[in-house]
């Protein structure tokens, strides 16, 4: 193809893309193998009805008029020897930006088209793979639904959501390649188009045994990257992710987001850390806010939690500012190093009860007063609940004592700093406080504390193993305890689980 043809074809491509009525033409300019919008994601053009594509294109283009980019070709930068790849300089009118765009051609049609901050030495196959790496932005829909992977890549590189992130003060993380995220016993699912990216990886060079890998399709249409108790097949022998290594970054949402979790608040986005990751658990590495670009890329791929109402207790709605301040007070109380952790948790219950009842806040009195006594009958019932939690069929729980030690109320945590980080992140992640309330959340946290004490009984020298810490992280920040307690809370307790008194009872079990 002559250079002029390449430029003319690209001009026609940009023009059809910007025209609400240009959907049919835009479709025709793609090769049958090209990935184009289909519903929420992408599919091969040959598998998409032209009429359906054109109708969706019109709708997306009209709806996104204000936010969709307006591209114009400024010039041809270079073409590959075989004319299968061309780089153009492109301007965008709204943001007054100018940047390179790479286009891959097949039989005189566009196969892929992607923006890039710099011109790269890409083969046709490299560009194809890199263009698929933008698929999460096709689904994300911010600031507008992308019409194409070109839009998606533009948003990825040049658009930044106007959000402010908040983290716990001592949050730190740097990837130490522990690969625990790729081996831990939780499942990871991906949208169907992730298979297109996997197909585009040059496996013959990267890992021949993975050539032709097809991820299993679940009944809900999602792909199963890994199931429980399964190590990810893309984990290389040098503890590296082969997908990440090949693409230069991580395209799969769950892998990219880990170990962070995000929750929308009226003031921005709260960022909590998963204690499954050893670096996050021990506070090793860089403060996430010092790598905001990295955080933003992860945030786009996350399914951030959101709440319409905020509660102190199940039926006690409170304004966001109060919720925020109480959440911070709970996290601060948990770090009071001069006080035993059990007593810190008690102070938290007293704070919540006093706020509920409108009583004065007097930590000096709370710190020295006696814990509440409970009847033998109540103690037995609560022990039964704990026994059901640790009897759950999870590898890290199987080693724990099936009979709750009679002196559990005298136990104390052997490594409070690590445990506190888990408990704080459980509160801050809002896994429990958004669907329930702050008091219920604290009670989940107290159950976690008790489970950690039971783990100490089974741990060598009373020091929790990495696997045990990871399990605590799963139960807390990843919300597994919610499912456990749903089964395990005796009927008579359901109404009291959201009270500060319930937490106080647990502390003397
Ligand atoms: S795709 Fe990569 S990062 Fe994700 S679980 Fe597999 S090996 Fe780990």
């Amino acid at each position: 193809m002559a250079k002029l043809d390449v430029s003319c074809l690209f001009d026609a491509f940009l023009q059809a893309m910007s025209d609400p009525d240009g959907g049919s033409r835009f479709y025709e300019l793609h090769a049958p193998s090209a990935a184009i919008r289909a519903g929420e994601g992408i599919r091969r053009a040959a598998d998409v009805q032209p009429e359906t594509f054109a109708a969706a294109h019109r709708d997306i283009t009209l709806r996104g008029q204000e936010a969709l980019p307006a591209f114009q070709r400024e010039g041809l930068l270079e073409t590959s020897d075989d004319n299968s790849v061309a780089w153009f300089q492109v301007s965008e009118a709204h943001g007054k930006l100018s940047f390179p765009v790479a286009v891959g051609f097949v039989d005189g049609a566009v196969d892929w088209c992607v923006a890039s901050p710099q011109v790269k030495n890409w083969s046709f196959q490299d560009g194809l793979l890199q263009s698929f790496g933008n698929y999460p932005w096709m689904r994300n829909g911010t600031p507008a639904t992308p019409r194409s992977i070109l839009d998606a890549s533009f948003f990825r590189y040049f658009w930044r959501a106007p959000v402010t992130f908040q983290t716990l003060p001592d949050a730190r993380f740097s990837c130490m390649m522990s690969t625990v995220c790729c081996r831990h016993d939780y499942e990871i699912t991906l949208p169907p188009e992730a298979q297109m990216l996997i197909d585009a990886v040059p496996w013959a060079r990267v890992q021949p045994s993975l050539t032709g890998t097809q991820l299993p399709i679940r009944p809900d249409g999602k792909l199963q990257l890994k199931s429980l108790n399964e190590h990810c097949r893309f984990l290389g022998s040098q503890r590296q992710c082969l997908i990440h290594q090949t693409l230069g970054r991580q395209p799969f949402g769950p892998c990219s987001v880990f170990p962070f979790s995000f929750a929308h608040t009226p003031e921005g986005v709260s960022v909590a850390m998963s204690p499954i990751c050893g670096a996050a658990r021990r506070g090793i590495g860089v403060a996430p806010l010092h790598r905001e670009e990295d955080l933003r890329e992860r945030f786009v791929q996350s399914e951030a939690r959101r709440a319409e109402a905020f509660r102190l207790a199940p039926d006690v709605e409170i304004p966001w500012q109060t919720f925020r301040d109480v959440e911070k007070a709970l996290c601060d109380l948990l770090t009071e190093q001069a006080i035993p952790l059990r007593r810190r948790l008690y102070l938290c219950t007293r704070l919540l009860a006093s706020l509920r009842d409108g009583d004065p806040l007097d930590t000096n009195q709370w710190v020295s007063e006696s814990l509440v006594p409970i009847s033998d009958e109540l103690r037995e019932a609560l022990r039964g609940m704990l026994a059901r939690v640790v009897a759950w069929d999870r590898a890290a729980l199987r080693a724990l004592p099936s009979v709750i030690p009679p002196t559990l109320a005298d136990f104390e945590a052997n490594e409070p700093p690590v445990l506190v980080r888990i408990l704080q992140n459980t509160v801050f992640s809002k896994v429990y406080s958004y669907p329930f309330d702050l008091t219920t959340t604290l009670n989940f946290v107290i159950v976690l504390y008790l489970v950690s004490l039971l783990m100490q009984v089974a741990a060598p020298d009373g020091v929790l193993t990495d696997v045990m810490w990871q399990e605590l992280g799963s139960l807390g920040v990843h919300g597994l305890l919610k499912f456990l307690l749903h089964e395990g809370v005796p009927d008579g307790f359901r109404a009291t689980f959201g009270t500060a008194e319930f937490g106080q009872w647990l502390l003397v079990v």
Side-chain angles (χ1 to χ4, degrees):
M1 191 184 299
K3 284 188 179 181
L4 181 62
D5 292 337
V6 172
S7 295
C8 282
L9 182 50
F10 185 53
D11 285 345
F13 183 85
L14 292 183
Q15 217 221 315
M17 188 169 82
S18 64
D19 180 359
D21 296 319
S24 298
R25 178 78 183 124
F26 193 41
Y27 179 93
E28 286 163 10
L29 289 165
H30 285 93
S33 55
I36 62 170
R37 172 163 289 290
E40 294 284 293
I42 52 174
R43 293 180 74 182
R44 307 252 171 227
D47 299 330
V48 178
Q49 288 292 328
E51 302 77 25
T52 312
F53 177 82
H57 178 80
R58 180 179 163 75
D59 184 42
I60 291 167
T61 309
L62 290 175
R63 263 194 293 124
Q65 253 168 355
E66 302 294 314
L68 284 168
F71 297 124
Q72 175 140 25
R73 179 178 62 86
E74 290 182 348
L76 175 65
L77 296 174
E78 60 183 57
T79 57
S80 59
D81 290 344
D82 62 359
N83 270 344
S84 66
V85 177
W87 283 88
F88 299 95
Q89 190 68 20
V90 168
S91 59
E92 197 285 314
H94 302 322
K96 301 189 173 37
L97 292 163
S98 177
F99 49 89
V101 168
V103 186
F105 297 99
V106 168
D107 296 334
V110 172
D111 194 69
W112 52 262
C113 176
V114 63
S116 168
Q118 304 93 25
V119 174
K120 303 278 176 70
N121 185 24
W122 286 345
S123 67
F124 178 90
Q125 204 60 31
D126 293 337
L128 176 70
L129 179 64
Q130 293 295 334
S131 71
F132 283 138
N134 295 289
Y135 82 79
W137 275 259
M138 288 296 277
R139 283 191 173 259
N140 183 268
T142 51
T145 304
R147 298 158 295 191
S148 64
I149 288 183
L150 175 57
D151 279 348
S153 59
F154 173 80
F155 288 148
R156 176 173 165 234
Y157 288 119
F158 302 112
W159 181 82
R160 293 292 171 263
V163 294
T164 310
F165 293 105
Q166 289 100 27
T167 64
L168 285 164
D170 61 350
R172 299 286 183 280
F173 164 70
S174 290
C175 181
M176 303 289 177
M177 295 188 69
S178 69
T179 67
V180 64
C181 47
C182 316
R183 294 178 286 123
H184 192 69
D185 62 343
Y186 51 40
E187 37 172 51
I188 302 180
T189 60
L190 300 175
E193 58 266 31
Q195 185 64 53
M196 296 169 94
L197 184 143
I198 294 166
D199 293 345
V201 173
W203 290 116
R205 171 169 61 78
V206 176
Q207 180 74 279
S209 61
L210 290 171
T211 304
T213 297
Q214 296 287 311
L215 294 183
I217 303 172
R218 304 180 351 150
D220 62 5
K222 290 182 185 164
L223 305 178
Q224 189 88 32
L225 176 62
K226 74 183 261 323
S227 52
L228 289 175
N229 305 317
E230 191 182 25
H231 291 193
C232 180
R233 70 203 76 206
F234 299 127
L235 189 58
S237 57
Q238 306 300 313
R239 297 180 147 215
Q240 83 281 37
C241 170
L242 295 172
I243 299 279
H244 189 144
Q245 185 186 46
T246 310
L247 198 66
R249 62 190 181 84
Q250 180 50 255
F252 297 153
C255 309
S256 174
V257 172
F258 189 88
F260 298 100
S261 71
F262 298 92
H264 290 280
T265 75
E267 292 173 348
V269 173
S270 279
V271 186
M273 317 271 291
S274 168
I276 289 178
C277 167
R281 187 168 68 240
R282 299 191 181 274
I284 300 169
V286 179
L289 296 182
H290 290 170
R291 285 205 314 222
E292 202 172 310
E293 274 302 294
D294 174 66
L295 210 52
R296 284 177 179 277
E297 175 132 348
R298 294 171 189 261
F299 172 59
V300 170
Q301 302 197 55
S302 71
E303 290 175 10
R305 296 181 188 98
R306 195 182 283 278
E308 300 305 326
F310 306 96
R311 284 176 285 270
L312 181 72
D315 299 321
V316 186
E317 227 173 271
I318 49 178
W320 156 251
Q321 288 79 1
T322 310
F323 181 97
R324 175 200 61 198
D325 294 347
V326 176
E327 182 191 83
K328 179 172 185 312
L330 294 174
C331 289
D332 288 349
L333 281 173
L334 286 171
T335 53
E336 286 290 343
Q337 289 181 15
I339 303 172
L341 184 49
R342 187 181 290 267
R343 177 62 64 161
R344 294 180 223 172
L345 289 162
Y346 176 72
L347 297 185
C348 292
T349 67
R350 289 292 268 129
L351 173 71
L352 293 171
S354 300
L355 289 170
R356 177 197 64 195
D357 300 338
D359 289 343
L361 308 182
D362 187 350
T363 41
N364 287 335
Q365 183 200 322
W366 303 340
V367 88
S368 55
E369 69 190 12
S370 303
L371 300 185
V372 289
I374 58 172
S375 67
D376 289 345
E377 193 186 354
L378 179 55
R379 179 170 289 106
E380 277 319 299
L382 292 170
R383 282 166 174 270
M385 184 191 84
L386 275 182
R388 290 185 67 172
V389 169
V390 296
W392 200 31
D393 189 20
R394 303 255 314 164
L397 296 178
R398 271 181 227 127
L400 305 194
S402 55
V403 177
I404 308 299
T407 53
L408 184 63
D410 300 327
F411 288 17
E412 189 44 282
N414 290 340
E415 288 185 90
V418 184
L419 182 55
V420 162
R421 213 181 287 276
I422 292 180
L423 303 184
Q424 278 185 317
N425 273 284
T426 301
V427 175
F428 197 68
S429 68
K430 301 168 182 56
V431 162
Y432 304 108
S433 59
Y434 269 12
F436 302 110
D437 56 90
L438 286 164
T439 307
T440 301
T441 301
L442 183 70
N443 291 342
F444 276 117
V445 161
I446 294 174
V447 174
L448 270 187
Y449 166 75
L450 296 177
V451 172
S452 78
L453 299 181
L454 293 171
M455 285 177 167
Q456 284 182 186
V457 175
D461 302 324
V463 177
L464 266 60
T465 61
D466 274 349
V467 172
M468 288 174 170
W469 285 123
Q470 288 156 15
E471 185 65 15
L472 275 182
S474 293
L475 293 172
V477 172
H478 294 269
L480 296 187
L481 198 55
K482 190 163 56 178
F483 298 106
L484 267 185
L485 281 181
H486 189 70
E487 308 249 309
V489 175
D491 280 345
F493 284 151
R494 284 191 201 284
T496 53
F497 193 76
T499 64
E501 286 71 18
F502 191 84
Q504 292 169 2
W505 301 338
L506 285 172
L507 288 170
V508 293
V509 155

